[in-house]
Amino acid sequence: LEAYALNAVLGWSGVAGLMDGLLLGVVCAVGFVVMSRWVDDTMEGRPRALLWVNGGYHVVFLGVCGAILGVWR
């Protein structure tokens, strides 16, 4: 579902290419996923390492998806 949504964002933004897709994927991950996880984890008193693991997974995942989708376009 995240890859499908990222593909829609790539289409709307007109991004094409490996590095542009990678950058957009990382920006979306940090802007939407990591920031919301940071607020949740901070308010719930969870350890900071958990944010790095859970947020980092999404940054890598959406970055790779963005790169693949950028090349595919």
Side-chain angles (χ1 to χ4, degrees):
L1 191 57
E2 281 181 302
Y4 181 77
L6 183 61
N7 188 41
V9 172
L10 282 164
W12 293 328
S13 66
V15 167
L18 179 84
M19 293 307 293
D20 290 341
L22 174 71
L23 180 63
L24 186 63
V26 169
V27 167
C28 285
V30 170
F32 297 118
V33 178
V34 174
M35 289 296 113
S36 66
R37 290 213 54 102
W38 175 70
V39 170
D40 293 343
D41 290 352
T42 301
M43 297 304 285
E44 293 173 3
R46 294 181 181 172
R48 182 68 45 108
L50 189 60
L51 173 66
W52 288 105
V53 172
N54 291 332
Y57 162 77
H58 288 282
V59 170
V60 171
F61 172 72
L62 287 173
V64 170
C65 283
I68 291 170
L69 291 169
V71 170
W72 184 33
R73 295 189 154 271

